[in-house]
Amino acid sequence: MRERPDGKRSANGKTYDPERLFLPPDDDLAPNRPGETLRARLDGSAAARASGRARLVLARLLGRRPVEDAWRRALAAEQCVGAALEGLAGSGWDVVHSIVLPGDAIISHLLIGPGGVFGISSRPGRRARIRAGESQVCTDRERRPGPYVRETRHDAARASLVLSRGCGFLVQVQPVLVFVGARSVETAPELDDVRVLGEEEVPGLGALAGVLHPDRARRIHTVARNRRVWLWA
């Protein structure tokens, strides 16, 4: 069922949202690039980067996995998925990247458009065979399962509460988990509330429709891009 329209109308009959006009630039998340938070972690002063390089070399010689390596893989995954989502912009979709929640959780991408609202988490697949269960993900490259399904579901629920409160109507955020560069992705039959995709399937989200009226989608995007609304997520 399509949502009813929201927003105010100008003299020419077009809808607009006055909150967007007064959003301070420092609080506007719309300009965020994919992986914005990870970029910030990897950036820093020249001295820090110089000392970091020496530390990375030493850690690799000792057979350890520096956290910066994981950040770079995660950044590459977010950039890949982000580019695919940006390609949907011409067909009525908006996307906000790298939304930081209290506690350092990050929603990699929030996709808003005719097919609804999707909270998307991007993960590096690392040429692994992936099997997503009801709460965890098992791969043939890791000894222990990862809590990625549970985390993606939880972050989407938090986003739904934030957006519903900010918009004044119920906003359902559908959780999506995307693995970039995986050899294969398999979803257990009991997992029916989280979409688990390979990166090549991301553009298919743009074919979804019939859920949000354009006015409501614009309203949700206005609220979602406001950094301050996420401070109480």
Side-chain angles (χ1 to χ4, degrees):
M1 179 181 297
R2 293 184 67 90
E3 301 278 4
R4 66 175 177 81
D6 262 349
K8 297 185 177 181
R9 293 189 178 274
S10 60
N12 61 10
K14 293 184 178 180
T15 59
Y16 68 97
D17 194 328
E19 283 189 23
R20 184 173 299 192
L21 300 177
F22 299 102
L23 186 61
D26 288 347
D27 289 333
D28 192 354
L29 300 179
N32 276 8
R33 299 168 295 175
E36 190 78 26
T37 303
L38 291 168
R39 292 173 192 265
R41 290 177 182 175
L42 288 167
D43 288 342
S45 68
R49 287 198 298 271
S51 63
R53 280 195 293 271
R55 182 165 50 84
L56 287 176
V57 171
L58 178 61
R60 292 187 182 111
L61 288 174
L62 295 175
R64 298 172 184 167
R65 295 181 177 179
V67 68
E68 288 85 352
D69 286 354
W71 290 347
R72 288 187 178 90
R73 288 193 296 268
L75 175 58
E78 292 199 19
Q79 289 173 327
C80 176
V81 174
L85 294 173
E86 293 288 351
L88 303 178
S91 52
W93 293 87
D94 288 298
V95 59
V96 181
H97 303 289
S98 198
I99 299 172
V100 179
L101 306 180
D104 290 333
I106 299 172
I107 298 176
S108 303
H109 322 276
L110 193 71
L111 180 67
I112 306 161
V117 183
F118 300 89
I120 301 172
S121 175
S122 306
R123 298 281 178 178
R126 304 180 62 194
R127 298 295 300 162
R129 291 185 173 89
I130 308 284
R131 189 177 193 276
E134 192 171 6
S135 62
Q136 296 181 321
V137 173
C138 297
T139 81
D140 58 357
R141 292 181 61 92
E142 301 290 341
R143 294 180 180 178
R144 298 179 180 178
Y148 310 129
V149 171
R150 184 171 65 248
E151 290 173 351
T152 302
R153 181 187 292 122
H154 181 61
D155 290 346
R158 293 174 72 182
S160 181
L161 289 173
V162 169
L163 296 174
S164 297
R165 182 170 59 234
C167 292
F169 54 82
L170 177 63
V171 179
Q172 295 181 331
V173 179
Q174 303 175 57
V176 180
L177 178 57
V178 181
F179 287 96
V180 176
R183 186 175 304 175
S184 63
V185 178
E186 178 185 353
T187 303
E190 61 269 20
L191 180 59
D192 57 2
D193 65 325
V194 179
R195 297 172 187 260
V196 183
L197 311 174
E199 77 273 16
E200 71 281 355
E201 299 175 277
V202 171
L205 295 173
L208 303 175
V211 175
L212 285 178
H213 187 280
D215 291 350
R216 283 218 161 177
R218 283 190 287 270
R219 173 60 182 161
I220 295 169
H221 182 231
T222 294
V223 172
R225 63 192 286 181
N226 188 341
R227 180 185 63 85
R228 291 184 177 275
V229 305
W230 300 100
L231 297 178
W232 299 275

